[in-house]
Amino acid sequence: MSMIVNRRDLDFLLYETFDLESLLTEQRYADYDRESIEAILDLAQSVAEDKYLPIAALLDANEPEYVDGKAITIPELKEALAAYKDAGLCTTGYDADVGGMQVPDMVHQAINGMFVCANGPASNYEFLTQGAANMLIACGSQELQDKYLPKMVEGEWFGTMCLSEPQAGSSLADIRTKAEPVGDGSYRISGTKMWITGGEQDITENIIQMVLAKIPGSPPGVRGISLFLVPKVRVNDDGSLGEHNNIALAGLNHKMGQRGSTNCLLNFGETGDTIGYLVGGENQGLANMFHMMNEARISVGMSAVQYALGGYLYSLDYARNRPQGRPIGNKDPEAPQVMISEHTDVKRMLMAQKAAVEGAQALMYYCAQMIDKQKTSKNEEEQGRLALLLDLLTPICKSWPSEYCLEANKLAIQILGGYGYTREYPVERLYRDNRLNHIHEGTWAIHGIDILGRKVSIAGGAAVKYLAEEMAATIEAAAQWPELADNSQRLAKAGKQIQETLQAVAQSPDPALALANATLFLNAMGHVVVAWMWLKQAIAAHQGLVGANADDRAFYSGKLAAADYFFRYELPRIDTDLTLVANLDSTCYDLSAEQFVGR
Amino acid sequence: MSMIVNRRDLDFLLYETFDLESLLTEQRYADYDRESIEAILDLAQSVAEDKYLPIAALLDANEPEYVDGKAITIPELKEALAAYKDAGLCTTGYDADVGGMQVPDMVHQAINGMFVCANGPASNYEFLTQGAANMLIACGSQELQDKYLPKMVEGEWFGTMCLSEPQAGSSLADIRTKAEPVGDGSYRISGTKMWITGGEQDITENIIQMVLAKIPGSPPGVRGISLFLVPKVRVNDDGSLGEHNNIALAGLNHKMGQRGSTNCLLNFGETGDTIGYLVGGENQGLANMFHMMNEARISVGMSAVQYALGGYLYSLDYARNRPQGRPIGNKDPEAPQVMISEHTDVKRMLMAQKAAVEGAQALMYYCAQMIDKQKTSKNEEEQGRLALLLDLLTPICKSWPSEYCLEANKLAIQILGGYGYTREYPVERLYRDNRLNHIHEGTWAIHGIDILGRKVSIAGGAAVKYLAEEMAATIEAAAQWPELADNSQRLAKAGKQIQETLQAVAQSPDPALALANATLFLNAMGHVVVAWMWLKQAIAAHQGLVGANADDRAFYSGKLAAADYFFRYELPRIDTDLTLVANLDSTCYDLSAEQFVGR
């Protein structure tokens, strides 16, 4: 059993649930068939298992060190990243016209997922590069692309995203980094950026920082933010490296988890001129950044899923091999012990992990499929519909796994007991690593306000309507299996509860009160969407069961059991949340800071 | 604002909610009045704040090292423990006849709580000593007590509890450590013990290990376990230290949190004879250990509360001082930012922490009050009633804070955002520390089976009946405040749900199926009990509001808001759990290990 991927389940998602094969018939993916996709996945799995996984604990125990303004990483990290690059896996996410492999996003996600599961902190360097490069592709001038993109696509140079500042984390309106025009079209960047993953490292010769900054005289707040490409080392016109661009590493953050990624405090323009280049239009920085934000946020969700997958696979393997105790009712102390996977509460903890991991994973592939359809569809109406659905689901993709896949990691520790609490086993590390995901790329609260305050009402509520239509279609498809009737009814009821809640919220006289329980709405909406994903998987499982062999029957019946688990153990929990949201409960809204502890 | 205790709240619990003053009129506590108790609490707070708190991060970053069979700890730890000892705080929990201060258990808990909050890993050494010494007092011969107890009470020697073995964690029936009679009344101990906190250290000259082992020829399983006192260094008849007793440190466990406590793998009798002395009768070891287990389990719960209190106080202070963002609806980017404690979701996260911490804390003091009443009551019937109630509540005391106070720690990190994820701030450390509490002293699942499989039915269900009576009395007392009617009704309904669930479970044809969702029952029952604690606090708050000044009005209204929060945001969540328990839902029970991942 691999500890980084369940290929049987991946097949189930890609082919049986989300129909990758029909996507492969599109012109865009004409180079690929199922066999060649398998070969790429095999390659990725072997690099992830052989190079990334074995050094994960080592990297955690030997975090990067700050020495004389440099961030020093261990050589094993450099070797692992080189293996990834040498295998050409950097290029899976790019189109052919910029030198990429142009595989479907579903496949790209599957590949990246294996690397996160094997060693997320090592993967961050390359994945942030992909985000930065995609931003450059989407908004950068041809000149900038020609100069910087090829090296980023090849993995020769890494990239970053520099948004936050020490005094401005969630509130980008308050950033202070300045960009003053030099006169030749470039800008002099000055200011301090915080929380920059990969902002400094000793792995690549150059680092391409994508930096949010304000041009003097621009409007206050987010409407005055522009985006700049700022290289660590200046690049000459012939492509050779020039002088250092005066980005100083002021310090490294020492984190609870994700220790293998450098996380930096950077000073721009302090030791000399730091030159940057405008990407996209002046004052369009936030819009340009948000261009990539959906992708980044879905990546965060995927990463939360994969950390939990690691814990799930490890704890499952452990539970199947650790003898302890006897079944309830067997009081004979001389009877042999059973494997702990026989104890009902261990099964419950495994099932809770499976339901969270595989439910959230399905959502990730559903969104990846939509991204692929956006790229292949010629129908403008369909593209609009896909864009709205993706917009609506993005906060769920980001936040639901950050919460429930972290809970899964918590349960993985619990299954291993005392051993799980030690650093000799990976489950505690995965838990620490995963705790970040609720914080970066927008906190849980911010996504709650995003979905309830904005996404549910854009285009006159069209996204919610489209989602309801999609869910109804799944319920209809499920109708041919009477065994799914109960779960279908539960999903239909939950969908209705969401609608009623939205109607109640729309009546609020006070817009701030309407959003007082937005986080709870996001939580409940996530449960409904994941339940829907489980109904989709249950349909695929029933289809698969027809004529399946014994192994496959166990697999499919496990999918059906996990669907039942989610509908019975998880979905009903939305009642409390939605009641509070619909009632415009003001218990928290009304509080003043003095009430918490008294004098 | 202190970061280790809210003295205003402690007063509220001790005096306004649980009437410490009337307890102080008992003969047993004749030496104390409110003033002298305050002085002891002041002393404890100053030692905890001055000596324990400042080294907490240092101790976490410098865990004990294994060097040539020894466990080396940092000197700052030794200094802190010496300050605690020199202040005489070791003795608060013991009766006067063994040299203790004989303060009420409520006060003893309050003192220990401050030290856990300041630096739990440092506190473990002394608290485990108290557990071992109490076991010796309860079950040991006068001779053993005379020889070992005074040094333990004074904090001169530390003590441990050695239950688990590498192959036997939760399943004590399967321990293999042997105790062979030497012939002079002592025993030769051989075997390996695992997870022994404080099992080896370089702080005290001697360590008194309380070890579970089997005498050859004793019955199989738990009925053949005996308890032994096994000193690290043998003690001569005149009390001087003799030879090393051949307990070898085979290794230290490296944990996610609680890093400052040594956690040891110990080999007994490997390098020479290890001599031990029987404590209590042969084969009575488990009963004797369980004698102290309620106390140990309530201590674990208290410790889970205190780690969360640390996170709560820190994140509250941070939220009141960190400007970020603007109120919803204020779109002017030039308006000043507000403190994050003004954002509703931050208030929610603070309130969730307050509701968990102060709700669980009330439960701890309620139990401590019962222990005090057991010690002072002359009425046998009352003592029996108190014993049964404590038995019933113990699994809740242990497990509910281990779950919900850990969630509180998670929210404290969230409030600090990226900063909370770094090791420069204490909130991530407290989260790591607290993750242990669901594992040791019986896992969550074991306590679930304990409560649903045993505690609810002992003495013909008397404990549940007594609990229902106590809850009814609180509801009756609340009747004079119409504002509490809604919460009272919710509590009455929840109590009825528990009763109905128990009736349904009693009908199960299969005892194993009856317990299939025992963990969920424990979870729900914990919510009901904590809700009851909030109703108790709400009554005390209403009493306090009469004639209160402005500061106190804020404090009391905060208590009422927290009660409302718990009844509205938390208590309704029991519906899902209790429905599953009552339905004898077999989704998890029916699973086989093959269904999880397939081939």
Side-chain angles (χ1 to χ4, degrees), chain A residues 95-382:
Chain A
D95 281 4
D97 61 1
V98 297
M101 287 172 70
Q102 196 166 308
V103 300
D105 195 58
M106 279 198 268
V107 178
H108 176 61
Q109 291 295 339
I111 292 167
N112 283 8
M114 292 186 217
F115 286 93
V116 175
C117 193
N119 193 335
S123 314
N124 286 337
Y125 296 98
E126 176 56 44
F127 296 169
L128 280 160
T129 305
Q130 294 170 15
N134 281 327
M135 203 146 41
L136 190 55
I137 293 167
C139 320
S141 67
Q142 194 57 49
E143 194 190 338
L144 280 180
Q145 291 194 33
D146 290 345
K147 197 160 180 179
Y148 295 96
L149 200 55
K151 299 271 195 188
M152 294 174 81
V153 171
E154 290 158 23
E156 195 71 25
W157 297 345
F158 287 163
T160 73
M161 299 209 271
C162 303
L163 288 75
S164 300
E165 300 180 2
Q167 84 297 343
S170 292
S171 177
L172 288 176
D174 297 288
I175 64 165
R176 294 181 195 146
T177 297
K178 263 194 315 194
E180 289 169 293
V182 174
D184 62 355
S186 69
Y187 292 78
R188 208 175 280 116
I189 310 289
S190 57
T192 301
K193 290 288 176 181
M194 180 70 159
W195 311 121
I196 311 309
T197 297
E200 179 55 70
Q201 34 83 355
D202 58 353
I203 306 162
T204 57
E205 283 187 315
N206 206 357
I207 303 173
I208 308 306
Q209 326 259 14
M210 304 299 276
V211 179
L212 292 185
K214 292 187 154 188
I215 300 169
S218 60
V222 293
R223 289 184 306 115
I225 295 176
S226 302
L227 176 65
F228 298 87
L229 182 154
V230 188
K232 170 181 169 179
V233 182
R234 293 180 198 158
V235 179
N236 299 321
D237 287 340
D238 64 359
S240 62
L241 292 179
E243 289 180 16
H244 197 280
N245 199 18
N246 299 305
I247 304 174
L249 177 65
L252 291 173
N253 294 308
H254 298 98
K255 307 182 295 307
M256 174 165 68
Q258 305 230 357
R259 294 188 179 194
S261 307
T262 61
N263 186 270
C264 309
L265 181 66
L266 298 177
N267 284 331
F268 293 78
E270 199 191 45
T271 52
D273 282 354
T274 297
I275 300 301
Y277 308 93
L278 190 65
V279 177
E282 279 188 20
N283 302 330
Q284 301 299 311
L286 206 67
N288 291 337
M289 189 62 86
F290 266 90
H291 204 91
M292 295 318 310
M293 208 57 117
N294 276 358
E295 186 187 299
R297 288 172 168 175
I298 293 172
S299 284
V300 170
M302 186 66 173
S303 133
V305 175
Q306 296 302 122
Y307 285 118
L309 176 63
Y312 170 52
L313 294 174
Y314 198 92
S315 64
L316 176 60
D317 190 58
Y318 183 89
R320 284 171 159 183
N321 291 291
R322 167 79 173 170
Q324 190 89 171
R326 291 160 191 86
I328 284 174
N330 183 344
K331 299 222 188 285
D332 176 8
E334 293 184 287
Q337 300 197 66
V338 297
M339 297 304 160
I340 63 170
S341 60
E342 296 299 307
H343 298 311
T344 303
D345 200 62
V346 173
K347 293 185 202 176
R348 179 188 66 84
M349 292 190 285
L350 290 170
M351 191 42 105
Q353 291 180 72
K354 179 180 170 79
V357 168
E358 296 179 8
Q361 199 157 245
L363 178 59
M364 299 301 141
Y365 286 107
Y366 177 72
C367 288
Q369 186 195 35
M370 286 201 285
I371 290 169
D372 286 324
K373 283 183 179 170
Q374 278 187 308
K375 288 176 180 163
T376 54
S377 170
K378 268 120 210 127
N379 180 329
E380 249 183 59
E381 197 189 312
E382 192 196 3

Side-chain angles (χ1 to χ4, degrees), chain A residues 592-599, chain B residues 1-2 6-9 12 312-313 316 320 354 358 549-559:
Chain A
S592 70
E594 297 70 46
Q595 289 179 283
F596 286 105
V597 286
R599 70 155 184 260
Chain B
M1 193 167 115
S2 167
N6 176 359
R7 289 292 290 274
R8 177 66 189 89
D9 192 41
F12 175 78
Y312 170 52
L313 294 173
L316 175 61
R320 284 170 160 182
K354 180 181 171 78
E358 296 179 7
N549 64 24
D551 277 350
D552 273 350
R553 277 205 304 278
F555 174 77
Y556 291 124
S557 72
K559 281 282 174 189

Side-chain angles (χ1 to χ4, degrees), chain A residues 458-477:
Chain A
I458 41 173
V464 175
K465 183 173 142 269
Y466 294 152
L467 180 66
E469 287 168 7
E470 295 290 327
M471 283 172 48
T474 305
I475 290 170
E476 199 183 312

Side-chain angles (χ1 to χ4, degrees), chain B residues 16-91:
Chain B
E16 302 176 54
T17 313
F18 296 114
D19 198 14
L20 177 60
E21 243 157 345
S22 82
L23 191 74
L24 293 180
T25 64
E26 295 283 346
Q27 182 55 35
R28 182 179 162 80
Y29 303 118
D31 286 353
Y32 297 103
D33 57 13
R34 186 162 175 167
E35 203 177 332
S36 54
I37 296 290
E38 289 302 293
I40 299 171
L41 292 172
D42 287 347
L43 171 68
Q45 183 176 344
S46 73
V47 175
E49 281 177 349
D50 297 347
K51 302 293 177 181
Y52 274 54
L53 183 62
I55 67 159
L58 182 82
L59 188 58
D60 180 66
N62 295 275
E63 63 187 339
E65 277 184 69
Y66 177 94
V67 181
D68 297 335
K70 295 195 190 321
I72 310 299
T73 65
I74 59 173
E76 292 84 350
L77 172 64
K78 298 175 184 86
E79 287 162 27
L81 291 168
Y84 175 87
K85 176 171 177 286
D86 294 347
L89 292 165
C90 311
T91 69

